Amino acid sequence: MYKTTLAIALAVCTGSIHSPATAASFLIEHVRVFDGQKILADKNVLIVDGKIQDSNFSGKPAADITIINGKGRTLLPGLIDAHVHAYQDQELPLLYGVTTQIDMFSNVALLQAINEKMRKGDNRDRADIISAGILATAPGGHGTEYGMPIPTLTKPEEAQAWVDARIAEGSHFIKIVIEHGNDKRPFNSLDTATVKALVKAAHVRNKLAVAHIGTLKEARDALAAGVDGLVHLFNDKQISDKDLRDLVNSAKSKHAFIIPTFAVLESMAGVKEQDVLNDKRMTSVLSKSQMQPLNTPYGSKQDPDFLKVPKMMTAAMHAAGVPILAGTDAGNSGTQYGISLHHELAALVEAGLSPAAALAAATSVPASAFRLKDRGRITNGYKADLLLVEGEPDKDITNTRNIVEVWKDGERVTAQREQKQQEVAKQKTQKNLLVDIPADGRIGLFSKDKLASPFGAGWYPSNDAPMGGKSTVTLQLLEPGKDADAPANALSIAGSINPGFAYPWAGVAFFPGNTPMEAVNLSNANTLKFRVKGDGKDYSVGISVQGSFIPVSVKFKTSTEWQEVSIPFTKFKGMDPSIITILAFNAGPQTGEFHFEIADIRLLKE
């Protein structure tokens, strides 16, 4: 009935396509080198065709070799974040020297696309992604709540076929979920026999099997099942000496590695990454929307005592020789790609690692643990994924933040970094249009001819088709008197949420700017109110902000009777009202038919 422009808006704003560039040859002279394991003084490192040709070059370089001064600086292997969920902001990691991300849960289409780019050697403008793809979980288990279809399993006999299907899709390793949740949010979990069968099936195919856990018992069970690593530790205020000793001995005897993920554990404890938030070197490349996650930890109240146990476990594991890997769980609230790894390094040092050990935890140790034989070290023949910093980060870990240059496959990242800094600086000085909201606050002026609004580009059908999804939506005006108890300006929104996109959706979207995706300032309001009626299912209001296509959402429930819903802006966690691009009423990600009706949509100052 109404033509949508959301597809056009998303296509325009999802970014440009980068063509592969030819890697230059260069020589970094008289530089301190952290080779992934130890410091080497006053070295000359020669890079040719995207590879480290000579990590101890001597003699006269060729005339066409660019010379880079390394005095007073330290050259590191490109950093590896050993735990992320890399679904957005793909430009960020490289800007912080993170050249490889180990992804713990990905949409298959995204996994296959990045695999193809890496296979062709055409991934110089983004961090490489080594991914588990789809995770192994039980029906109703953690990982099934996001709306995307997850192939679950329930018995050991299904393990080999499940693992083989993931490998066929392109998964580099297998991630197994062992989590029962809590009283407020319980999850089904795989039983011990199925976990053991999954580990065995992965090992038969020469693939690693790692485990997501959330408690001491789950960590014990995972190690007993023979997993190669724990991709989290867990928060708690105390642990007995015996339990700590037994867990360390189990990890050591099983030759398992540990990824503590302090960044997300701190977020759960309500602790912000204040060190990097206060560091302009770190925040100069983050847009307002990219700052938002760092300022919105999961925990509503700070309780740093919950971090006592993971700190104790990390220190004890490291002292016992258990490999510790630096991973952030970026993609979650309280974290951000790239920047959080610099915080994670500091957190590892605070937990008891030396700065040099922390550097190894973000370079050679994850490369070894995940069998990445071409990175994580500065040695001949390896990829020229490099980070050059001022100072000596092996003595002061915060010197990793003194970024001079980053190279990905021998290609300089300077232009990308400078461009992003300029964009961020411009955004900070730019003032978006402060919208003069009508006195009655009404923003939905619907008729059979037009989905009008008192300002902005108006209302349009919205679904996941621009992202390759298959969900459908139909909008229809309800007429008072003709459509039962329909009030004035009521709109029927119906359709089907179908598998296809990782997070399927369909609904109606309002663009408050004069053109779709233009950001405006809606600070003249602080509350959204509307009337709703529907099929009894849960739906959501999502607000998107400039620089992000993933909305901050608040759920609302429908019933067969009209009811008023009032949502203060404060419920949209971390949302900045000065950069709003879309306000949407959506069904999804749960699949199936849907139908709800909205009316009397108002933005108010209360």
Side-chain angles (χ1 to χ4, degrees), residues 249-310:
N249 289 339
S250 179
K252 187 172 183 179
S253 66
K254 297 291 185 178
H255 305 288
F257 57 80
I258 306 295
I259 311 174
T261 61
F262 281 110
V264 80
L265 295 181
E266 290 174 6
S267 175
M268 294 166 66
V271 177
K272 290 185 182 182
E273 299 178 10
Q274 210 62 57
D275 58 332
V276 291
L277 276 168
N278 293 339
D279 192 333
K280 291 182 179 179
R281 296 171 300 177
M282 294 282 96
T283 59
S284 66
V285 295
L286 294 180
S287 67
K288 288 182 179 180
S289 63
Q290 290 167 338
M291 287 287 290
Q292 179 178 300
L294 286 171
N295 282 304
T296 53
Y298 282 123
S300 57
K301 185 172 69 174
Q302 284 194 31
D303 196 345
D305 284 349
F306 273 113
L307 299 167
K308 287 182 177 179
V309 168

Side-chain angles (χ1 to χ4, degrees), residues 260 262 314 324-327 343-354 357-358 361:
F262 281 110
T314 298
I324 302 295
L325 282 62
H343 172 76
E344 188 76 20
L345 292 173
L348 290 175
V349 171
E350 184 181 340
L353 275 67
S354 69

Side-chain angles (χ1 to χ4, degrees), residues 166-435:
R166 305 290 78 72
I167 295 171
E169 288 171 349
S171 294
H172 300 92
F173 60 94
I174 301 300
K175 179 186 175 184
I176 304 167
V177 174
I178 307 173
E179 182 180 349
H180 297 81
N182 52 45
D183 293 340
K184 293 182 179 179
R185 194 179 190 185
F187 285 116
N188 294 330
S189 190
L190 298 167
D191 61 31
T192 300
T194 304
V195 172
K196 288 182 177 179
L198 282 164
V199 174
K200 181 179 178 181
H203 290 171
V204 163
R205 302 300 187 226
N206 197 32
K207 297 292 183 182
L208 295 175
V210 301
H212 164 106
I213 55 89
T215 66
L216 176 61
K217 183 182 184 305
E218 291 163 356
R220 285 173 176 159
D221 291 346
L223 292 170
V227 299
D228 298 290
L230 302 181
V231 301
H232 287 292
L233 287 178
F234 53 89
N235 279 346
D236 210 337
K237 294 185 178 182
Q238 57 185 8
I239 186 172
S240 72
D241 291 343
K242 182 180 184 303
D243 285 341
L244 179 59
R245 183 171 58 251
D246 288 349
L247 191 66
V248 171
N249 289 339
S250 179
K252 187 172 183 179
S253 66
K254 297 291 185 178
H255 305 288
F257 57 80
I258 306 295
I259 311 174
T261 61
F262 281 110
V264 80
L265 295 181
E266 290 174 6
S267 175
M268 294 166 66
V271 177
K272 290 185 182 182
E273 299 178 10
Q274 210 62 57
D275 58 332
V276 291
L277 276 168
N278 293 339
D279 192 333
K280 291 182 179 179
R281 296 171 300 177
M282 294 282 96
T283 59
S284 66
V285 295
L286 294 180
S287 67
K288 288 182 179 180
S289 63
Q290 290 167 338
M291 287 287 290
Q292 179 178 300
L294 286 171
N295 282 304
T296 53
Y298 282 123
S300 57
K301 185 172 69 174
Q302 284 194 31
D303 196 345
D305 284 349
F306 273 113
L307 299 167
K308 287 182 177 179
V309 168
K311 288 180 180 180
M312 291 170 62
M313 287 189 289
T314 298
M317 294 277 187
H318 178 62
V322 175
I324 302 295
L325 282 62
T328 62
D329 213 349
N332 281 285
S333 290
T335 70
Q336 186 54 279
Y337 305 103
I339 188 172
S340 286
L341 188 60
H342 291 269
H343 172 76
E344 188 76 20
L345 292 173
L348 290 175
V349 171
E350 184 181 340
L353 275 67
S354 69
L359 293 176
T363 54
S364 62
V365 178
S368 175
F370 282 91
R371 303 172 183 173
L372 308 177
K373 298 179 180 180
D374 61 351
R375 69 196 73 196
R377 299 285 306 279
I378 294 179
T379 192
N380 295 353
Y382 273 46
K383 282 160 59 76
D385 290 356
L386 302 167
L387 169 61
L388 183 65
V389 301
E390 294 282 359
E392 301 179 351
D394 52 300
K395 297 179 181 177
D396 179 354
I397 196 63
T398 63
N399 282 340
T400 62
R401 305 170 194 182
N402 296 330
I403 296 173
V404 176
E405 185 57 270
V406 179
W407 293 271
K408 175 64 167 60
D409 290 322
E411 190 72 20
R412 297 173 73 235
V413 181
T414 302
Q416 288 175 248
R417 186 175 175 84
E418 291 177 349
Q419 180 181 352
K420 189 65 188 296
Q421 287 173 328
Q422 291 168 6
E423 291 172 358
V424 169
K426 181 179 178 181
Q427 187 189 53
K428 287 179 179 178
T429 59
Q430 176 182 332
K431 291 186 178 180
N432 292 326
L433 173 67
L434 180 63
V435 174

Side-chain angles (χ1 to χ4, degrees), residues 416-569:
Q416 288 175 248
R417 186 175 175 84
E418 291 177 349
Q419 180 181 352
K420 189 65 188 296
Q421 287 173 328
Q422 291 168 6
E423 291 172 358
V424 169
K426 181 179 178 181
Q427 187 189 53
K428 287 179 179 178
T429 59
Q430 176 182 332
K431 291 186 178 180
N432 292 326
L433 173 67
L434 180 63
V435 174
D436 186 12
I437 295 171
D440 62 4
R442 285 181 172 81
I443 60 172
L445 308 178
F446 306 143
S447 71
K448 62 182 179 180
D449 299 316
K450 188 177 182 182
L451 301 182
S453 58
F455 59 87
W459 297 80
Y460 297 89
S462 164
N463 64 12
D464 52 26
M467 313 306 291
K470 300 177 182 178
S471 300
T472 62
V473 63
T474 299
L475 307 183
Q476 184 176 354
L477 181 73
L478 299 177
E479 299 182 33
K482 182 178 179 182
D483 292 288
D485 58 349
N489 289 302
L491 188 68
S492 168
I493 306 163
S496 178
I497 303 299
N498 301 316
F501 177 56
Y503 304 98
W505 88 86
V508 61
F510 170 55
F511 296 97
N514 291 327
T515 58
M517 304 308 295
E518 178 186 359
V520 296
N521 187 344
L522 295 183
S523 296
N524 279 333
N526 61 15
T527 303
L528 171 68
K529 285 190 176 182
F530 57 94
R531 297 180 67 192
V532 65
K533 174 184 174 182
D535 52 15
K537 295 180 181 178
D538 287 347
Y539 296 96
S540 65
V541 178
I543 295 181
S544 296
V545 296
Q546 187 175 26
S548 176
F549 298 104
I550 298 176
V552 183
S553 297
V554 175
K555 288 185 177 181
F556 62 89
K557 194 172 184 64
T558 61
S559 71
T560 55
E561 302 294 328
W562 284 99
Q563 57 185 323
E564 184 175 76
V565 177
S566 178
I567 307 176
F569 279 6

